[in-house]
Amino acid sequence: MSGARARVGVGTRFRYDGESVEVVELAATTAGNEVVLEDAHGRVLRLALKELLFSDRAEIIPEQAGPSPDEVEEIASVVLDQLGEDERHKVVERAGHVREVLTGYRSGHAEFARTGEPRPQYPPGGPAESKYAAKAEELGVSVRTVKQWVADFRQHGEAGLAPKRRRSGRPWLSGDERWAETAVEVMVEHTGQSKPSRTLVIERTRARVIARFGPAVVPQPSRATAFRILAELEGRHPLFRLSTKRNRDIADRPEGPYGKLRPTRPGEYVLMDTTRLDVFAFDPLTLRWVQAELTIAMDWYTRCITGLRLTPVSTKAVDVSAVLYQCFRPRPAGWEWPRHAVWPEHGIPRTVLVDVEGATGPGLASPPLVPETLVVDHGKVYVSGHLTSVCRRMAISIQPARLRTGRDKGPAERYFRTLREGLLEALPGYKGPDIHCRGEHPEDEAFFFLDELESIIREWTAVVYHCRPHTGLVDPGVPGLRMSPAQMFEHGMARAGYIEAPRDRDLAFEFLPTKWRTIQHYGVEIGRRRYNGPGLPKPGIRSPYDSQVKNGWPFQVAPDDVTRIYFRDPGTRVWHTLTWEHAPSVHMPLSEDALLFARKLAAAKYRYPDDRLAVADLLERWNLGLGTTLAERRMALRVSREQAALDLPDTGTATVASLTSVRTALGQAEAAKEDVPEPVAAVGDDDVADLECFAAEDDFYADALEDV
């Protein structure tokens, strides 16, 4: 076997700076070994031996053949690792026979001789031809084969005895490469189109090859070969196997190496995203099945969900601002939540909390922190003037993701998938991620109201998601350790030494949209609603603001509760609350959408409706389960009975069914059946007839379930 060593001495030739030189003298000095080189023109050069051996400027010219990095053969480990168990066993046996021919021993050494070795046919040091003939007769092969084995073994070792595999620079191509390259062009052109058939791609490729190279220039593969070539090309440009949406995502991948933001502490980067949930819910306002959209804020470093909000159908800019504010002031945790799911007990020290009541009370549902940078997409709600102005006021930087690049918010997208697979698919009303996964009538199974569904998601996030180890949460200093988001928060606190906490609780008002109105003698009018209260300037005082409304004053309005607005005195900088004139008759928050819906119902029912009458009818509609008439109680009982009859799918775990919010919602439905007295008529499939009887004495059902 040729070695990898080369002699360096007088007469050794090198290639130095592109010229051929020869060593003419070796000298040992106090500074180290030196050599004297002479080129073809007789010029002499003296330099250190280490410079000659280790510099990139010098390269030795070996006198004998040996292994080199540019040789065609693969290294031994690559060749042997491609062999199967049977092939490797044959190679080991064949190597033993070759060693016996060369040394007389299967192991190659007399110290490890087997019983009966050396055999008389293979005496050590005997003539080689007789041993070749004896081994050929023993194995039933020709003498030429044995000689080839010996030559391969001497040159490459055991790897030289491996079966010779046919190597090709184009292993995927069984025909002309020009045909395959043209097929790739046709496949790329269909990236943004509907998925074509393989036959269509083959026909277009053949036509383009003939038009480009001429007829009979490029051999056309057979139909079976063309199908095999397309199957190989599928790995380069997916087109047939996956969905068209997935194929477009793969085609949009960057050509260079992947990179990403690398957060170093909690709060450095916060991801915000909105998705439509794969589950139906029940809107208590319109009494209709609706689709829900979930907006979340996630701390990139810890994967903690610092804020979430569930809205029907469409998300507004104020909803995104509300989620962002939850990062500043998290909502309180449920009173029945387990201790490990409640903050600050599971992470953040109580001493950095601004809210003393939150620290001494039942705890928080998520960790409070102030984002430094928001990573958002280009949706209207994220690039709105309201959100950007809030972020500018809070000194929060906004970093938009690339267009149609979901991987820029990968952790948030992964949370949505985990939520679907870990919670939503176990709830009634689950409709699947796409139309191909939808059940026959998923909307008939919807049970949870929007607020109940949000409570369930919030509790599942705190109880399950925050406390379960994630494969993506690792510490490079401790390989193999998997941490949960809550543990990663503790790790980030210890690593960074601090977090950004909210400094003022009045910052909540700055997250609300601003309305400019003038001050009249009766107060302020916004959306045909009149507000008044202490702290409002007297009418006639000139406004110090220069707005589009002449002599206008700024008022902060919460769309989810129009019973009150907020005003800050420009002199004292103190916030004041102004209440709606009909707020005492509501006794609960009333959203702007609910008021508009109530006005629409009242306009269809009364000739001269007002807001007081509209709100009264809306509250009566909401209190369907607490109605005073027997017909209302009967209808509420029927709805609760149908909802409670739905069984949750068995997923193998009890995480969903054991959530307090799920048990509470199911328990309220069962309590409604127990508390409401049953009429004389039996409850069953004939409830429609019962409802018709009650409708005769009360026309409540004339518009209770109308689609609006």
Side-chain angles (χ1 to χ4, degrees):
M1 184 183 300
S2 59
R5 59 184 179 273
R7 173 185 172 274
V8 178
V10 176
T12 304
R13 300 173 63 246
F14 284 85
R15 186 176 293 106
Y16 188 77
D17 286 342
E19 296 185 3
S20 178
V21 296
E22 182 180 350
V23 178
V24 296
E25 183 182 352
L26 285 174
T29 64
T30 56
N33 296 327
E34 295 183 353
V35 295
V36 178
L37 304 177
E38 182 180 1
D39 60 8
H41 302 285
R43 292 175 296 186
V44 178
L45 175 66
R46 188 185 184 99
L47 71 161
L49 179 60
K50 63 180 181 180
E51 169 70 15
L52 189 64
L53 296 179
F54 305 112
S55 174
D56 295 335
R57 303 168 59 186
E59 180 183 357
I60 191 171
I61 302 177
E63 299 177 356
Q64 299 178 352
S68 61
D70 56 349
E71 61 186 5
V72 179
E73 290 77 9
E74 297 287 351
I75 61 178
S77 60
V78 174
V79 175
L80 296 177
D81 286 345
Q82 298 181 71
L83 302 179
E85 194 66 28
D86 295 339
E87 291 179 326
R88 185 170 297 184
H89 180 72
K90 292 180 180 179
V91 169
V92 173
E93 288 292 328
R94 188 174 297 174
H97 291 297
V98 173
R99 284 192 291 265
E100 188 176 17
V101 171
L102 295 176
T103 64
Y105 304 96
R106 287 288 188 95
S107 62
H109 300 278
E111 293 82 359
F112 304 100
R114 298 182 182 181
T115 304
E117 288 184 347
R119 292 189 290 175
Q121 304 93 317
Y122 312 103
E129 291 296 331
S130 61
K131 291 189 287 185
Y132 291 158
K135 183 59 68 175
E137 182 180 359
E138 177 185 350
L139 299 179
V141 296
S142 64
V143 176
R144 183 177 179 180
T145 300
V146 176
K147 290 182 178 181
Q148 185 64 46
W149 288 351
V150 173
D152 292 340
F153 182 81
R154 283 176 172 173
Q155 185 176 3
H156 302 291
E158 292 186 359
L161 302 177
K164 301 298 185 294
R165 301 181 183 273
R166 185 175 181 271
R167 299 172 61 251
S168 174
R170 300 169 298 177
W172 50 270
L173 186 59
S174 57
D176 195 292
E177 184 178 0
R178 291 172 291 181
W179 196 96
E181 294 298 333
T182 306
V184 172
E185 294 180 6
V186 176
M187 296 171 65
V188 171
E189 293 174 357
H190 285 83
T191 300
Q193 302 177 6
S194 300
K195 182 184 297 185
S197 64
R198 291 175 173 84
T199 302
L200 177 63
V201 174
I202 293 173
E203 294 299 330
R204 291 188 175 181
T205 302
R206 289 176 176 174
R208 184 170 300 184
V209 166
I210 294 175
R212 179 176 298 176
F213 302 101
V217 176
V218 177
Q220 299 285 351
S222 63
R223 180 178 176 85
T225 303
F227 269 82
R228 286 194 296 269
I229 294 177
L230 292 184
E232 295 293 338
L233 296 178
E234 181 77 5
R236 296 172 56 182
H237 186 82
L239 182 64
F240 308 107
R241 182 173 55 88
L242 304 174
S243 64
T244 55
K245 183 178 183 300
R246 179 58 177 165
N247 291 336
R248 288 193 295 268
D249 292 340
I250 296 176
D252 292 337
R253 288 175 178 174
E255 297 181 357
Y258 288 178
K260 64 178 183 179
L261 297 175
R262 300 187 182 277
T264 58
R265 60 185 180 277
E268 185 176 3
Y269 295 103
V270 172
L271 305 174
M272 295 194 70
D273 199 5
T274 302
T275 187
R276 180 164 293 183
L277 297 183
D278 301 325
V279 63
F280 285 108
F282 193 72
D283 187 2
L285 176 62
T286 61
L287 299 180
R288 297 172 61 183
W289 311 123
V290 296
Q291 289 185 333
E293 287 189 352
L294 178 65
T295 303
I296 65 165
M298 170 188 286
D299 177 45
W300 197 331
Y301 181 82
T302 64
R303 306 296 200 275
C304 287
I305 303 300
T306 57
L308 62 88
R309 183 176 178 83
L310 197 66
T311 56
V313 184
S314 61
T315 303
K316 302 179 181 179
V318 66
D319 299 322
V320 177
S321 300
V323 174
L324 181 60
Y325 180 68
Q326 292 180 25
C327 300
F328 287 75
R329 295 185 59 82
R331 291 187 176 183
W335 63 277
E336 288 187 350
W337 285 15
R339 183 176 179 83
H340 68 270
V342 179
W343 301 73
E345 286 82 353
H346 206 87
I348 180 171
R350 297 173 182 268
T351 54
V352 303
L353 287 178
V354 177
D355 187 7
V356 179
E357 297 179 359
T360 59
L364 303 175
S366 59
L369 53 86
V370 176
E372 300 178 23
T373 302
L374 287 184
V375 181
V376 298
D377 55 23
H378 294 263
K380 292 183 178 180
V381 294
Y382 294 106
V383 296
S384 62
H386 175 62
L387 182 63
T388 54
S389 62
V390 169
C391 292
R392 188 180 299 110
R393 175 70 173 86
M394 306 299 173
I396 300 175
S397 175
I398 298 180
Q399 180 169 332
R402 290 173 292 181
L403 289 173
R404 295 181 296 274
T405 308
R407 69 183 69 92
D408 286 353
K409 305 187 302 300
E413 301 291 347
R414 189 61 178 87
Y415 168 79
F416 292 143
R417 176 183 172 183
T418 304
L419 176 66
R420 174 172 60 85
E421 296 178 350
L423 175 68
L424 298 183
E425 65 181 7
L427 297 178
Y430 176 71
K431 62 182 181 64
D434 52 57
I435 191 172
H436 301 287
C437 302
R438 181 169 298 185
E440 187 175 2
H441 299 291
E443 63 276 4
D444 294 342
E445 302 177 356
F447 169 76
F448 295 107
F449 293 99
L450 283 173
D451 56 341
E452 294 175 339
L453 184 59
E454 179 177 341
S455 300
I456 292 172
I457 295 175
R458 193 179 299 275
E459 183 182 359
W460 177 86
T461 301
V463 176
V464 179
Y465 182 80
H466 281 170
C467 303
R468 184 171 57 190
H470 291 197
T471 57
L473 294 178
V474 296
D475 185 357
V478 188
L481 177 63
R482 296 294 181 267
M483 291 181 286
S484 66
Q487 294 171 340
M488 196 67 180
F489 191 90
E490 297 178 357
H491 177 272
M493 287 285 295
R495 180 178 181 179
Y498 73 97
I499 64 169
E500 299 286 347
R503 58 183 298 172
D504 187 5
R505 62 184 305 164
D506 289 339
L507 293 176
F509 301 115
E510 302 188 20
F511 285 84
L512 301 177
T514 302
K515 301 290 185 181
W516 292 88
R517 295 294 186 271
T518 58
I519 299 177
Q520 306 297 330
H521 63 281
Y522 51 79
V524 180
E525 183 174 348
I526 300 178
R528 300 189 323 188
R529 304 180 302 272
R530 294 183 177 182
Y531 299 88
N532 209 330
L536 190 66
K538 299 294 184 180
I541 298 180
R542 184 175 181 83
S543 172
Y545 303 98
D546 185 12
S547 65
Q548 297 179 355
V549 178
K550 184 178 180 180
N551 200 30
W553 298 76
F555 299 92
Q556 309 303 116
V557 181
D560 292 334
D561 185 11
V562 297
T563 61
R564 62 196 72 237
I565 62 175
Y566 306 94
F567 170 76
R568 182 163 63 178
D569 192 322
T572 61
R573 312 303 293 174
V574 176
W575 286 93
H576 301 279
T577 301
L578 309 180
T579 58
W580 183 32
E581 59 180 352
H582 298 304
S585 62
V586 179
H587 303 293
M588 61 182 296
L590 182 67
S591 67
E592 188 170 4
D593 294 336
L595 182 58
L596 295 177
F597 179 73
R599 288 173 176 173
K600 184 177 180 180
L601 293 179
K605 189 175 182 180
Y606 303 102
R607 176 170 298 183
Y608 302 105
D610 57 8
D611 283 349
R612 182 188 297 273
L613 191 59
V615 171
D617 279 5
L618 182 63
L619 294 179
E620 182 180 359
R621 185 184 182 90
W622 278 352
N623 294 331
L624 189 60
L626 304 176
T628 57
T629 65
L630 184 60
E632 294 175 1
R633 291 178 177 270
R634 175 68 174 179
M635 185 174 182
L637 180 63
R638 175 180 174 83
V639 173
S640 64
R641 178 168 57 253
E642 290 178 350
Q643 295 165 347
L646 299 175
D647 296 330
L648 294 175
D650 186 8
T651 60
T653 58
T655 56
V656 176
S658 60
L659 293 177
T660 303
S661 52
V662 177
R663 297 199 312 268
T664 302
L666 295 175
Q668 290 176 353
E670 293 293 340
K673 294 195 299 183
E674 297 176 358
D675 297 341
V676 180
E678 286 285 347
V680 178
V683 177
D685 295 335
D686 58 346
D687 284 343
V688 177
D690 296 339
L691 292 176
E692 292 177 352
C693 295
F694 288 111
E697 61 186 53
D698 190 352
D699 60 348
F700 176 82
Y701 299 102
D703 60 352
L705 292 178
E706 285 183 351
D707 293 335
V708 293

